[in-house]
Amino acid sequence: ISQKFVPYVFPILSDDADLIVNKLRKNGINILRFGHFLFPSAKNNCNFSDTYSKCCVQIPIHQSLNLSDMENIKLVLKL
């Protein structure tokens, strides 16, 4: 059986993650944050989790996006 894998998001790290997320959401783009709300027991236990929680934005790239969605993301991010 042939398996196909389609990624759901493209993670990026930015010191301006909150600004990026707010701008995308304001323009109707559903966005995810990696570990935006960490379990209390996870805080300060892993540098990667702490950093990603603050700086990681997951840009949608899944198969349900159409050309218009991608163009909108591109325009909002000014790529």
Side-chain angles (χ1 to χ4, degrees), residues 4-79:
K4 296 181 181 175
F5 299 93
V6 179
Y8 190 66
V9 296
F10 182 80
I12 60 170
L13 294 178
S14 172
D15 290 332
D16 294 324
D18 289 334
L19 178 72
I20 293 169
V21 167
N22 291 336
K23 188 172 184 182
L24 289 166
R25 286 182 177 156
K26 180 180 173 184
N27 284 278
I29 300 164
N30 290 324
I31 214 70
L32 298 173
R33 295 288 302 267
F34 174 87
H36 188 66
F37 301 104
L38 293 175
F39 290 109
S41 61
K43 290 183 181 182
N44 302 316
N45 285 327
C46 175
N47 287 339
F48 287 112
S49 293
D50 291 341
T51 299
Y52 286 13
S53 175
K54 296 174 187 133
C55 300
C56 188
V57 178
Q58 299 177 355
I59 306 298
I61 58 170
H62 51 81
Q63 71 276 12
S64 296
L65 295 177
N66 59 39
L67 185 56
S68 176
D69 296 327
M70 291 183 283
E71 286 293 328
N72 191 28
I73 293 168
K74 178 181 167 183
L75 287 173
V76 171
L77 293 177
K78 296 183 183 174
L79 298 175

